[in-house]
Amino acid sequence: MSSAAGAAGPAGPAARIGWAAGGVLAPVLLWEGYKFAGPESGVSLAGMPLLPRTSDLAMPHIWTMLARLAEPVTSAAGAVPLWAAVLQAAAFTLGIAALGWLIGVVVGTGLAMVMQRFRSAGSALLPWIILSQTVPLIAIAPLVRRWGSQLEIGSFTWENWMSVAVIASYLAFFPVAIGALRGFSSPQGNHLDLMYSYAVGWWRSFLFLRLPASIPFLLPALRLAAANAVIGAVVAEVSIGLKGGIGRMIVEYAAAAGGDPGKPWAPIFGAVLLGLAAVAATTVLGLFLHG
């Protein structure tokens, strides 16, 4: 048994790396395969397009997109490489998304604590928490911006990036609230009875029993919240019109698709990299929590 486990042990990381590489390679093969075999005019049914066109203008090759990253953003003298502009925009959006994630974690954890402590609060809040995620971001983003601009606290001025952070936190708090609530309610009854028998109050019981027991539920919720915060930040940048981030870059570069088909895909790659970085950061945080 031990020899079999030892043989299977080293294969674990290799298998995970193989699956990760396959997950990256599969979309590339599907893209190039459809471009090679698909009709140039696409596929339509009763005048409704079902599959995209495969022309180089509408569907450039993967290597065309990657090669465009190494070229300057524009033909102007001194223009920075496209990859540098994308990384700068991604870093700007990542900072806002990180703030939104942090706010979402604090709000979601606080709501979960209230709902776990008071059953009536859970019955009252949980339906509204679920319903909150049915409101489209594109509808509430302008409202958040308008409400924020009306805040007047001394010399404080509400900036557009603050509205984007609020929208990001709006998406991030939901998985944290649900995951934390499940985690805080996960301890076994005999463990809770032992705490009660020693007259341990709710706060100490929460810190030494409920909170440690919630970590397996919290870690997936934190990763999902990180991805949601990135999505919320990108969509909010588009809706509000905040310049400097990936969302606005996607809109601006889309106008160049007619003469520069590889350029609009650069910020999309940046958005993918942004999501991977956010999830990787929460994975590292999970290692510390497990430790």
Side-chain angles (χ1 to χ4, degrees):
M1 181 68 68
S2 59
S3 60
R16 288 194 292 269
I17 294 174
W19 280 109
V24 174
L25 186 60
V28 174
L29 295 177
L30 288 173
W31 180 279
E32 293 296 335
Y34 175 73
K35 182 172 175 59
F36 174 77
E40 187 173 354
S41 59
V43 177
S44 301
L45 180 62
M48 180 180 298
L50 297 180
L51 294 176
R53 295 173 294 165
T54 58
S55 63
D56 290 339
L57 188 62
M59 192 175 181
H61 288 286
I62 297 294
W63 51 84
T64 300
M65 306 176 196
L66 296 178
R68 183 63 181 87
L69 286 170
E71 300 174 1
V73 176
T74 64
S75 58
V80 299
L82 183 57
W83 65 266
V86 170
L87 286 182
Q88 183 178 2
F92 179 81
T93 302
L94 181 61
I96 298 176
L99 178 59
W101 176 82
L102 182 61
I103 296 173
V105 169
V106 172
V107 173
T109 305
L111 288 173
M113 291 174 62
V114 171
M115 289 188 292
Q116 195 286 318
R117 180 66 177 86
F118 305 103
R119 292 184 180 275
S120 58
S123 301
L125 291 176
L126 189 58
W128 289 105
I129 292 175
I130 296 174
L131 287 175
S132 69
Q133 302 304 295
T134 64
V135 181
L137 289 184
I138 200 170
I140 66 173
L143 295 176
V144 173
R145 178 187 180 185
R146 188 180 66 182
W147 292 338
S149 63
Q150 295 175 353
L151 289 177
E152 296 182 2
I153 305 175
S155 60
F156 173 78
T157 302
W158 185 269
E159 303 289 344
N160 284 342
W161 67 266
M162 299 177 184
S163 299
V164 175
V166 170
I167 298 300
S169 67
Y170 178 78
L171 282 188
F173 93 93
F174 176 73
V176 176
I178 301 301
L181 178 60
R182 291 188 59 194
F184 295 158
S185 305
S186 64
Q188 299 179 6
N190 57 343
H191 295 164
L192 294 172
D193 292 340
L194 180 63
M195 288 289 183
Y196 294 149
S197 66
Y198 284 107
V200 176
W202 185 87
W203 275 108
R204 294 187 64 187
S205 176
F206 173 81
L207 290 175
F208 295 105
L209 178 60
R210 295 186 185 275
L211 187 59
S214 69
I215 290 178
F217 299 88
L218 273 177
L219 293 182
L222 292 177
R223 286 193 289 268
L224 182 58
N228 285 359
V230 170
I231 294 172
V234 172
V235 174
E237 287 176 353
V238 174
S239 301
I240 293 176
L242 179 64
K243 295 183 179 181
I246 282 290
R248 187 63 180 177
M249 181 179 281
I250 291 174
V251 175
E252 292 175 350
Y253 285 12
D260 193 357
K263 186 176 181 179
W265 292 94
I268 295 177
F269 290 153
V272 173
L273 181 63
L274 192 62
L276 292 176
V279 174
T282 56
T283 301
V284 173
L285 177 62
L287 295 178
F288 285 102
L289 291 177
H290 274 304

